[in-house]
Structures are given as structure tokens and as C-alpha cells.
Amino acid sequence: MAIYDKMIQTMDDKNVDAYLDLLHDDFVVVFHKSGNSFSKSEWGEMITGMFANDKFIRDSSRCVYENDDIMVQHMFMSYPDDSKEAVMGIAMIKDGKVIRMETGATSLN
């Protein structure tokens, strides 16, 4: 099963441990919009909160491209403050796990 499919399944199941298991120990996520970056443990804390909040909604998602080195995904997201964004996520893959993810978002409000 592709990493994208596994990642979507963990989000649907709100399974934080399974989600974090898809991330390399040296994982970093970078938000293009703010320039902020987070380690695996910091991202894990954020994901835990997101999975617990029913107002974080992935309205739709698709995998644009995936191979052994990279995954490109596009999502429409709704947030607790009632804002909506189109989000592009690019993930670099190493040893079968996501080692770096960068996101870019465009407001839909």
C-alpha cells in the first residue's frame, strides 16, 4: 500500500500512533505560509490535537503523484475558525517513511 493511502487511512481512523509510524525519526514539516517548521514530536502534538477536534475536516483529498522518493497531495481543509484552505503537500520519502513535508495553502474564504 502506498504511503498516501496509509496516511489517509490513519487520518480517517484518527489513529495518531499509526500516523506517526509513517514518519521518519528525522521528520520535519515546514509550513510555507508561515515559514514555521516542526520536528516529529512537535508535529505529533499538533496532529493529536487535530485528530481530537471534529472541526478539523479534510473535505477532500487526492494523491497527485507518488513514488519511492516523493509524494504530492492536494486537499481541501476546513478549520475550527470556519476558514477553508486548498492545501498542497509535498513529502520527501526516505527508507519508506516521510522524512520531510512542506505544505502550501491558499485561503478559500
Side-chain angles (χ1 to χ4, degrees):
M1 181 184 291
I3 289 179
Y4 172 81
D5 294 329
K6 291 176 187 176
M7 192 167 280
I8 293 302
Q9 188 64 54
T10 65
M11 289 181 203
D12 289 345
D13 296 343
K14 297 187 176 193
N15 186 334
V16 175
D17 291 333
Y19 179 92
L20 293 175
D21 191 48
L22 298 173
L23 307 181
H24 194 280
D25 289 341
D26 297 327
F27 172 83
V28 174
V29 62
V30 178
F31 293 169
H32 179 76
K33 188 174 178 180
S34 66
N36 294 334
S37 63
F38 304 94
S39 67
K40 181 176 179 176
S41 62
E42 292 167 326
W43 183 238
E45 291 175 23
M46 293 175 71
I47 286 294
T48 299
M50 291 169 64
F51 283 8
N53 188 332
D54 289 335
K55 292 203 170 213
F56 276 98
I57 300 168
R58 183 176 31 84
D59 296 312
S60 66
S61 176
R62 68 186 175 98
C63 182
V64 176
Y65 181 80
E66 182 177 355
N67 66 21
D68 291 340
D69 299 314
I70 192 168
M71 174 182 64
V72 180
Q73 60 183 327
H74 187 266
M75 297 175 279
F76 290 104
M77 297 290 299
S78 297
Y79 300 104
D81 65 359
D82 293 323
S83 65
K84 294 180 182 277
E85 291 181 332
V87 180
M88 181 68 72
I90 310 296
M92 302 304 295
I93 300 167
K94 180 179 179 183
D95 302 327
K97 295 190 177 214
V98 176
I99 191 162
R100 181 179 178 90
M101 184 168 17
E102 295 200 24
T103 65
T106 301
S107 175
L108 299 176
N109 294 68

